[in-house]
Amino acid sequence: MSYQRVKGSYDIVPTSDEAWKESAFWHFIENHVHTLAKKYALEEIRPPVFEYTDLFLRSVGSETDIVSKEMYTFEDRGGRSLSLRPELTASILRAYIENGLQQTPSQRYYYLGSCFRYERSQKGRYRQFTQFDVEILGDKDPTVDVEVISCFLELLTNLGLEKYTLKINTLGDLISRKNYVTALKEYLETKKHLLSEDSQRRLVTNPMRILDSKEASDQALLQEAPSLREFLSRETLSHFQEVCNLLDSLGISYQIDEKLVRGLDYYIDTVFEVVASDDKGAQNALGGGGRYDGLLKQLGGPDLPGIGFGIGIERVMQALIAEGKAPLRESGPQFFIIPLSKEAKTAGFLLLQKYRKEGKSALLFNKNFQIKKGLQAAEAMHAQEAVILGEEELEKKVITIKNLRTRQERKESL
Ligand code: AMP
């Protein structure tokens, strides 16, 4: 019997039919993420993959789909309810509070890590997936909103992605949101029987979520619904205006989407999402984020504002492939040493160690002493140069180096 990986998961391997599953592609992404983080003065927090379930109930919200339907929750042997993290913000904030990081001068964090959601698995939707997450705490200034958005877009640009759309919206502060939800509820209660089953449930648990319902019947009802804009405070509107002005001055194009509410409970004021433009349907969101002033306090931390985003790395990789922008596969070792006798093998093995000490990548062919087989293996490994060590070379204390691209040969002393 052979084993299979868990449904909705995937392996990252050196070569695959799908480029996004290749380790070299992941290294490419990881390098870009860490370089970008440095540029934005972001520091890394690495939380564990599981947390006490209560953390996600309190932050993401018990009425969200993520928590109510998709979380991997289990009891450990000590009877504690634990959950694999479905997103990263809650864990990062928990770690920030628990480690007393509010005492440190910088409050800017990032992390690249796995998340887990029990979703129907399909292209772009996995049960274990990877997010690049950024969180900036303690700063309410609109420049920070724009910094966060521009960091998101810069990753896409640096990776080579071109076809995407930035959507932004403002959800208002907690008070205006509350007033709006009351009005929305009142309006929808009168038409409850016309709502989809999901939205009828959301009317009780989380009415704002009805705004991003995909059902045409729900959307038709929403045409006449009160608009969130009418409930927003002057502060919210001026904050949002400044965000838009700053985006304009950076030449970042965006669409204002008044229906954009994002799935999680904790967002207020600025929210945004980036969508790959050439895909259609529900699977094309590359990531999103927003402000969550109040969440830190709700989790037992200081009363500080916060803003962040999560980018789905697999989706970004797939969008890059769709645009023909996947990076070229990394080449193999620089030197592939081919000894042609037992004696030469020993000399070749010493040479191998010498190359590695010098920081060069090298491999030794030890299957047999046939030059043809050795060269075939070197080609198959995508080696850059074959180093041939035969009788003659040993005698003269030289090596023959054959460049496998240009086919040119040269001799060097052993
Ligand atoms: P969310 O916080 O749900 O908006 O997720 C942020 C981003 O993570 C999404 O825009 C996707 O790119 C990615 N994402 C969320 N769920 C999944 C999943 N099940 N599989 C792959 N990527 C996902």
Side-chain angles (χ1 to χ4, degrees):
M1 188 192 130
S2 65
Y3 290 102
Q4 292 182 331
R5 59 181 175 269
V6 173
K7 192 170 173 201
S9 67
Y10 59 85
D11 297 310
I12 297 173
V13 287
T15 46
S16 164
D17 297 343
E18 295 176 90
W20 69 272
K21 292 182 183 166
E22 293 193 354
S23 29
F25 199 166
W26 281 87
H27 296 160
F28 170 79
I29 301 273
E30 286 156 9
N31 287 339
H32 273 284
V33 164
H34 295 299
T35 307
L36 184 72
K38 205 165 207 122
K39 213 167 126 180
Y40 278 78
L42 301 165
E43 296 179 299
E44 192 184 28
I45 289 183
R46 288 192 202 188
V49 292
F50 52 17
E51 299 278 355
Y52 291 115
T53 303
D54 197 43
L55 174 70
F56 302 115
L57 299 182
R58 287 288 295 275
S59 56
V60 179
S62 52
E63 300 305 338
T64 56
D65 284 354
I66 295 178
V67 167
S68 64
K69 295 192 208 154
E70 298 166 2
M71 210 149 67
Y72 279 93
T73 298
F74 56 96
E75 209 171 84
D76 74 1
R77 286 168 195 270
R80 307 165 190 93
S81 177
L82 306 183
S83 294
L84 299 183
R85 60 190 183 205
E87 54 101 61
L88 299 173
T89 304
S91 300
I92 290 185
L93 298 197
R94 198 263 317 131
Y96 168 85
I97 298 167
E98 194 169 348
N99 293 278
L101 297 181
Q102 60 266 40
Q103 308 302 341
T104 58
S106 169
Q107 312 275 307
R108 304 160 64 91
Y109 305 102
Y110 82 104
Y111 180 52
L112 180 68
S114 300
C115 300
F116 306 84
R117 292 183 195 175
Y118 191 81
E119 292 193 86
R120 208 155 57 79
S121 63
Q122 59 193 80
K123 184 167 187 279
R125 199 169 278 286
Y126 309 96
R127 291 182 177 171
Q128 175 173 347
F129 62 98
T130 314
Q131 277 193 356
F132 168 41
D133 194 76
V134 165
E135 311 293 346
I136 298 185
L137 307 176
D139 204 330
K140 176 81 196 166
D141 199 73
T143 54
V144 177
D145 301 34
V146 177
E147 229 192 305
V148 164
I149 293 173
S150 98
C151 178
F152 188 132
L153 300 183
E154 197 171 324
L155 179 72
L156 304 184
T157 311
N158 292 352
L159 292 171
L161 202 70
E162 284 173 10
K163 297 180 194 145
Y164 55 80
T165 307
L166 166 66
K167 295 180 178 179
I168 60 170
N169 190 23
T170 179
L171 299 180
D173 53 31
L174 288 176
I175 296 168
S176 27
R177 234 178 97 164
K178 210 167 149 201
N179 293 339
Y180 170 65
V181 169
T182 309
L184 180 69
K185 228 171 150 174
E186 263 170 27
Y187 166 80
L188 289 173
E189 284 288 355
T190 61
K191 314 212 161 15
K192 191 172 166 184
H193 57 289
L194 299 171
L195 284 171
S196 67
E197 207 176 300
D198 264 350
S199 290
Q200 288 192 16
R201 189 172 45 80
R202 289 185 190 128
L203 191 56
V204 183
T205 59
N206 192 351
M208 288 267 288
R209 284 298 312 278
I210 298 176
L211 296 187
D212 62 6
S213 160
K214 301 279 181 295
E215 296 289 332
S217 55
D218 292 346
Q219 284 304 329
L221 280 184
L222 289 170
Q223 297 283 336
E224 306 285 312
S227 150
L228 174 59
R229 273 301 131 89
E230 297 157 25
F231 292 80
L232 297 181
S233 66
R234 252 214 322 247
E235 289 79 29
T236 286
L237 288 171
S238 94
H239 183 100
F240 191 59
Q241 190 57 52
E242 198 173 336
V243 168
C244 294
N245 293 347
L246 287 165
L247 286 171
D248 291 337
S249 64
L250 291 185
I252 295 177
S253 46
Y254 56 89
Q255 284 175 8
I256 296 178
D257 178 354
E258 292 189 18
K259 296 264 154 58
L260 180 69
V261 295
R262 309 267 311 130
L264 316 184
D265 267 1
Y266 51 61
Y267 288 115
I268 63 153
D269 281 331
T270 315
V271 287
F272 61 95
E273 203 160 86
V274 179
V275 183
S277 330
D278 56 345
D279 266 352
K280 289 188 187 71
Q283 303 309 310
N284 55 2
L286 299 179
R291 269 209 171 272
Y292 48 78
D293 308 356
L295 180 60
L296 261 172
K297 185 160 177 249
Q298 196 182 318
L299 294 178
D303 190 7
L304 291 173
I307 180 166
F309 66 69
I311 302 184
I313 294 298
E314 292 81 0
R315 300 242 182 116
V316 170
M317 294 170 106
Q318 289 167 4
L320 282 166
I321 294 169
E323 281 192 25
K325 303 280 174 50
L328 292 177
R329 201 175 273 167
E330 267 168 18
S331 57
Q334 190 177 350
F335 296 111
F336 194 81
I337 304 167
I338 307 171
L340 302 182
S341 67
K342 196 153 184 265
E343 211 187 346
K345 189 171 86 173
T346 309
F349 189 68
L350 296 177
L351 182 62
L352 178 73
Q353 304 309 319
K354 178 174 166 280
Y355 280 144
R356 288 180 181 163
K357 259 196 189 135
E358 291 169 356
K360 295 167 182 158
S361 63
L363 272 182
L364 176 74
F365 181 66
N366 61 2
K367 301 279 178 285
N368 54 50
F369 301 126
Q370 296 170 32
I371 187 156
K372 197 167 155 212
K373 290 273 186 308
L375 286 171
Q376 279 170 354
E379 298 274 2
M381 296 293 300
H382 303 289
Q384 293 160 43
E385 298 192 295
V387 178
I388 297 152
L389 258 176
E391 291 287 313
E392 194 191 324
E393 280 88 359
L394 270 193
E395 218 164 85
K396 295 185 180 155
K397 294 207 181 322
V398 293
I399 46 175
T400 302
I401 301 183
K402 180 170 179 165
N403 187 305
L404 297 171
R405 311 268 144 76
T406 62
R407 307 272 143 202
Q408 277 170 351
E409 285 189 12
R410 64 179 191 278
K411 301 252 190 245
E412 277 183 16
S413 95
L414 179 59

